[in-house]
Amino acid sequence: MADYHDGEVTVQRRARLAEQARFSLGGIGETVPEVAAAFLAEQPMIVLGGADGAGRIWATQLTGEPGFLEVPDPRTLTIDALPDPTD
């Protein structure tokens, strides 16, 4: 089962959205439902986030023609795009 880390919980409480966040947690899982796969296939962009080796948080936007996002199986999302080299 998915869970939020302590920092996320702190932000949710400060924003007075802890109850909404608990409800939304039910939509987070280890697989991509068919309805979500169909939605992703129609999108012209996606925003990705992560942490680098030093733990610094980053985000980037990737774009493409609808269809550049594919879900070939419920545990895989493929993206036919790369970040700008300067990103």
Side-chain angles (χ1 to χ4, degrees), residues 16-84:
R16 297 187 177 132
L17 294 172
E19 187 173 328
Q20 174 67 39
R22 276 191 297 278
F23 172 79
S24 297
L25 193 59
I28 299 173
E30 295 182 8
T31 60
V32 180
E34 286 184 32
V35 66
F39 172 80
L40 289 167
E42 297 175 358
Q43 302 311 303
M45 54 87 58
I46 190 167
V47 176
L48 304 176
D52 67 16
R56 294 173 295 212
I57 303 300
W58 58 267
T60 192
Q61 178 181 349
L62 300 178
T63 61
E65 294 295 318
F68 88 110
L69 303 172
E70 292 184 81
V71 179
D73 65 71
R75 297 182 64 87
T76 306
L77 169 65
T78 61
I79 303 172
D80 189 14
L82 294 171
D84 185 283

